Every structure is written in C-alpha cells, then in structure tokens.
C-alpha cells in the first residue's frame, strides 16, 4: 500500500513565475506536442491572446432540456460568434449547430448517469474516437470524479480517452467533477487538476476557488473555469475576471451565459474579460451599455 501517512502540504508554487517550457507555442504544456495537437489547440486557444471563451451547452446529457437550453437551434446561433469553442454533445451539435460556423468543438464523449439518480459519478467514454474525428472535434471532453464513488472508473475512462486522443492528435479536455462530499478548496482542486494533467490531458476544466493562483501554477496544462450555477451577471463577470487574473487560460461557461436574460450581451462581456483585459467592473458596464442600447433600439 502506498505510504500516505505524513504527506507534506505543497507550498512552493512560484505563482509569479511563468511556465517554463513554452518554446514559441502559446498553449501551456503543449510545446512538446505534435503538429496536429498544436493545430487543434490553436483553434481553441486564440494564438494572439492565448486564451479561450468556451460556451458550454452539454448539460442536456444528464439533465435533459434544462432552463436556457430548451431550443439549442435558436440559442446557439445567437451566441456562437462570440465564443472560441463550442462544448456540446454530438447530438446537440449535429442537430442544432450549423456546420459552416467553423468554430472549434469540444465534444462531450462521456456519460452514464442522469439527475434521476443520487450518484452522478459513474461515467464512461461512450462516444468513439471515430465520431470525434468525423465531427472534426478540436478536443474530446471526459468527466472525471475525484473523491467520489466512480473515481476509479472515470479515471480509467479518462486515460482511455487520452490514449485514443493521442493516437489521432485530438486533445482531451479533462473535466474535474467534484465528488459530492468534497469541499471546494484549493487543496482539493490542486489535487484534482494536477491528477488530470498527469494522466495526460491537454486541457483541464475546473472551478474557481480561493488561492486559485496556486492551483493554476501547479497544473502544467491550461485551466478553463466553469461558471457553475447561475449567479448575477456582475458576480459571474467577477468570477471570470478573478479566474483570468489567477492564471486561468479561459472560461468554459454555460448557465451564467445561457440562463442570463441577456445571453448575447453576457457572452460578449465575458469575451472582453478573457481576451481584452477588461476588469470585471468594466465588463459589467459594457454589459449594461449593450443591454440598454438594445432596449433603446
Ligand atoms: C456540466 O455538466 C458541464 O460539464 C458543463 O459544461 C460545465 O459545468 C460548465 O457549465 P456551467 O458554467 O453551467 O457550470
């Protein structure tokens, strides 16, 4: 058995020191990857800013038609131009996203549970790598439950996805799914994000937490931060701002965009934070201006 007694807490994160092995490539941890991986990562992460706005609308794979996502065919065309990457299931993308948008796709390939169950932590990779290739996916997304019942099987499935993705140079987006009894601390997220990176994913999706700088510094691949449940727009922009300031390479935001009463204005404000250096205050003012302009037109 591994010796886990007396583990020392990590503390030397050198948060102020930039990641070392960058070469001339703009995505953290990707300098040693091959051309195909780099090409796909460059479709997700803007080569000028190094960052990404991912629009997440994959919630239906375990929640069905949830608030804001009732009509993907009407929603996505309103938002897509302001996103760098669309994160969804094959069913959502094939049916409701025009194929001429030419946006990068983060294809959700894991599933296995639904909100009808207590334990959501049992997921496996259910979409084949051939499907990801056919859909020209720029990444495959796999949920991994750290500290939950399904931890072992989701870790195995994540590694299977990384193996398959590596075969065809398709990056894997590892999604940190928080076990229901876990506390959302920097200690937990440092563990979970680092585990996923060491399993070989090229991108990690996680949540914001206090001391996020340490989480980001300890993870050798880019972090994208999920929005989580709907909060007021101003607060969601602060979340995005703090995430970027803390070292995130972007956001992977869903409900705080599509459940806003002003989703188009909201995604544009998020884009300003991620790509244009707006503070949360500036972005909220921008959001209000856009919203008011629309009302007065
Ligand atoms: C959740 O099941 C999905 O992975 C979502 O894509 C993710 O949680 C981001 O969406 P939200 O910002 O709504 O949390």
């Amino acid at each position: 058995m591994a010796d886990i007694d007396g583990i020392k807490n990590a503390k030397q994160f050198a948060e102020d020191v930039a990641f070392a092995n960058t070469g001339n490539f703009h995505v953290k941890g990707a300098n040693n990857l091959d051309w195909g991986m780099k090409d796909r990562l460059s479709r997700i992460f803007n080569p000028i800013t190094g960052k990404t706005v991912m629009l997440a609308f994959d919630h239906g794979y375990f929640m069905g038609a949830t608030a804001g996502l009732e009509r993907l065919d009407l929603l996505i065309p309103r938002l897509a131009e302001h996103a760098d990457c669309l994160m969804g299931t094959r069913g959502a993308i094939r049916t409701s996203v025009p194929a001429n948008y030419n946006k990068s796709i983060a294809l959700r390939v894991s599933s296995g549970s639904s909100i009808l169950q207590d334990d959501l932590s049992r997921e496996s990779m259910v979409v084949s790598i051939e499907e990801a290739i056919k859909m020209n996916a720029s990444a495959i997304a796999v949920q991994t439950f750290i500290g939950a019942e399904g931890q072992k099987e989701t870790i195995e499935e994540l590694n299977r996805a990384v193996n398959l993705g590596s075969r065809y140079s398709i990056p894997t987006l590892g999604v940190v799914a928080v076990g229901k009894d876990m506390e959302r601390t920097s200690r937990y997220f440092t563990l979970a994000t680092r585990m996923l990176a060491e399993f070989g994913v090229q991108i990690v999706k996680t949540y914001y937490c206090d001391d996020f700088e340490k989480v980001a510094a300890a993870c050798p691949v880019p972090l994208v931060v999920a929005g989580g449940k709907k909060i007021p727009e101003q607060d969601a922009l602060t979340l995005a701002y703090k995430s970027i300031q803390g070292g995130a390479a972007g956001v992977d935001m869903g409900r705080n965009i599509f459940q806003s009463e002003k989703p188009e204005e909201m995604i544009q404000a998020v884009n300003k934070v991620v790509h244009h250096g707006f503070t949360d205050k500036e972005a909220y003012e921008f959001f209000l201006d856009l919203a008011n302009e629309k009302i007065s037109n």
Side-chain angles (χ1 to χ4, degrees):
M1 183 176 160
D3 179 5
I4 54 172
D5 289 338
I7 290 177
K8 290 188 178 175
N9 287 339
K11 48 188 178 194
Q12 303 292 345
F13 293 94
E15 299 97 301
D16 298 334
V17 182
F19 187 73
N21 181 31
T22 53
N24 61 359
F25 195 62
H26 63 288
V27 179
K28 188 180 187 183
N31 185 41
N32 296 339
L33 299 180
D34 64 281
W35 195 94
M37 280 277 184
K38 285 179 167 169
D39 175 68
R40 290 186 171 94
L41 288 167
S42 293
R43 286 170 53 76
I44 297 172
F45 294 95
N46 180 316
I48 310 278
T49 66
K51 299 198 167 57
T52 189
V53 174
M54 289 190 180
L55 173 64
F57 54 94
D58 58 332
H59 307 59
Y61 88 95
F62 71 108
M63 299 171 90
T66 192
L69 295 183
E70 295 88 345
R71 288 290 302 269
L72 289 169
D73 59 316
L74 303 181
L75 179 77
I76 304 306
R78 293 167 61 194
L79 305 181
E81 73 171 287
H82 307 295
D84 301 288
C85 182
L86 303 177
M87 181 183 187
T89 60
R90 59 178 164 181
I93 292 167
R94 277 219 177 92
T95 58
S96 309
V97 179
N100 61 2
Y101 277 11
N102 204 21
K103 288 283 169 186
S104 64
I105 298 292
L107 184 66
R108 158 72 64 174
V109 298
S110 68
S111 77
S113 48
S114 78
I115 51 170
L116 301 176
Q117 301 160 283
D118 272 348
D119 178 18
L120 294 175
S121 75
R122 303 210 175 271
E123 287 201 8
S124 50
M125 180 175 172
V126 292
V127 177
S128 69
I129 197 69
E130 289 78 12
E131 276 282 86
I133 294 166
K134 284 175 71 176
M135 297 195 68
N136 200 25
S138 294
I140 50 176
V142 179
Q143 191 120 305
T144 310
F145 288 82
I146 304 299
E149 285 287 307
Q151 175 171 291
K152 181 172 185 292
E153 78 192 60
T154 57
I155 286 176
E156 286 171 355
E157 289 301 300
L158 179 77
N159 278 278
R160 197 159 73 84
V162 172
N163 292 338
L164 290 165
S166 298
R167 190 181 297 168
Y168 300 104
S169 293
I170 300 180
T172 300
L173 167 62
V175 176
V176 173
V178 184
K180 64 182 176 188
D181 298 324
M182 295 293 107
E183 285 186 41
R184 295 182 174 224
T185 61
S186 62
R187 195 168 179 194
Y188 171 81
F189 286 117
T190 302
L191 170 84
T193 56
R194 180 62 174 265
M195 283 176 70
L196 269 55
E198 300 225 9
F199 296 145
V201 307
Q202 288 77 22
I203 313 166
V204 173
K205 193 189 90 172
T206 186
Y207 292 92
Y208 183 77
C209 62
D210 290 342
D211 288 329
F212 186 80
E213 299 75 14
K214 293 183 171 51
V215 181
C219 186
V221 300
L223 298 180
V224 291
V225 173
K229 68 179 182 192
K230 175 76 175 70
I231 53 179
E233 280 79 2
Q234 191 167 12
D235 296 343
L237 291 168
T238 297
L239 172 75
Y241 177 67
K242 284 180 165 177
S243 301
I244 297 297
Q245 291 300 304
V251 296
D252 186 6
M253 200 174 261
R255 287 164 285 180
N256 278 292
I257 293 173
F258 63 70
Q259 290 180 349
S260 169
E261 286 187 10
K262 301 282 176 192
E264 286 147 285
E265 291 79 356
M266 187 57 184
I267 193 170
Q268 289 178 74
V270 170
N271 192 304
K272 291 291 183 196
V273 171
V274 172
H275 287 305
H276 300 276
F278 277 34
T279 64
D280 46 348
K281 186 168 176 289
E282 290 167 337
Y284 187 58
E285 282 166 9
F286 173 82
F287 168 80
L288 291 177
D289 285 349
L290 269 187
N292 291 335
E293 196 179 306
K294 200 158 191 183
I295 290 165
S296 60
N297 280 340

